[in-house]
Amino acid sequence: MNWHLFTGFLLITVVLILTPGPIVTLVISTGATRGVRAALVTVAGTSLGNATLLAAIALGLNWVLSHAAYLFEALRWAGVAYLIWLGVRAWRGASRAQPATAGVQVHFWRGFLVALSNPKTLAFFTAFLPQFVDPARPAGFQLAVMCAVSVVLAAVSDSCWAVTAGLGWAWFVRPGRARLLTRVSALALIGGGIWLSLARRPT
């Protein structure tokens, strides 16, 4: 591994994981309506979904990085557009009330399906991971390590959301605090899009 690139990958991944999206929304709503245990079961499902999705992304990117440089640029700019759009949408929706999502009996599979179809994970990591692949080293191994680390970090973060939602939901989602969190997340997404537009793959 290129440890300079890997450190940058860790920092940006933490920002992404701490930015609320469909998975965090599901985990929080489940914790608020069904309790900590149900929320943690949901996290187990989302973790498996994340692992499956990231493995598919890594396999595809390994081929792209080896065969088509122009596809790399197309993916990067698609990621830029998606991140900025997501940030603008989050900012505009910050003042709206966020409805709670009702829990379901099979929390694990619900979490799995939400994670597997999460556009945030799909778009961001497709454009994001190649930026931290050292072309002087085998791409497959680097992608595998980054995906595994991402899944572990996401599982830890989602578990914290689950416990927080189950134990302190009433305090956490007061309108002012929820609005501030949403706007901070929106700025982080827009900033990530700008960073990605300026980033270049190392040669």
Side-chain angles (χ1 to χ4, degrees):
M1 294 292 293
N2 182 320
W3 294 107
H4 176 73
L5 290 175
F6 188 68
T7 299
F9 158 78
L10 286 177
L11 293 175
I12 300 299
T13 299
V14 169
V15 172
L16 171 68
I17 289 173
L18 293 179
T19 302
I23 292 176
V24 171
T25 300
L26 175 64
V27 171
I28 288 177
S29 62
T30 301
T33 57
R34 301 289 182 173
V36 174
R37 181 178 179 181
L40 290 176
V41 171
T42 302
V43 170
T46 61
S47 298
L48 179 60
N50 280 333
T52 303
L53 182 58
L54 289 176
I57 291 172
L59 288 173
L61 286 176
N62 190 34
W63 184 90
V64 169
L65 291 172
S66 301
H67 295 83
Y70 68 91
L71 284 179
F72 168 82
E73 285 299 311
L75 290 173
R76 181 166 70 90
W77 284 106
V80 168
Y82 176 76
L83 282 175
I84 293 177
W85 173 80
L86 195 62
V88 170
R89 188 181 68 169
W91 181 274
R92 293 178 63 183
S95 59
R96 301 181 195 138
Q98 300 297 320
T101 304
V104 294
Q105 293 182 348
V106 187
H107 301 293
F108 180 89
W109 291 112
R110 186 179 186 190
F112 175 81
L113 292 174
V114 168
L116 198 63
S117 60
N118 186 1
K120 172 184 166 183
T121 303
L122 181 62
F124 191 90
F125 278 98
T126 298
F128 171 70
L129 288 178
Q131 316 301 324
F132 298 94
V133 172
D134 186 346
R137 295 175 170 84
F141 174 76
Q142 295 177 76
L143 290 169
V145 171
M146 288 189 286
C147 288
V149 169
S150 298
V151 171
V152 172
L153 290 176
V156 172
S157 175
D158 291 343
S159 296
C160 292
W161 282 110
V163 174
T164 300
L167 300 179
W169 172 258
W171 183 91
F172 186 75
V173 297
R174 288 178 182 175
R177 296 188 181 104
R179 185 161 48 248
L180 177 61
L181 176 62
T182 301
R183 286 182 171 164
V184 170
S185 299
L187 291 175
L189 286 168
I190 294 171
I194 294 172
W195 177 88
L196 195 57
S197 72
L198 300 175
R200 294 293 182 271
R201 186 185 176 195
T203 57

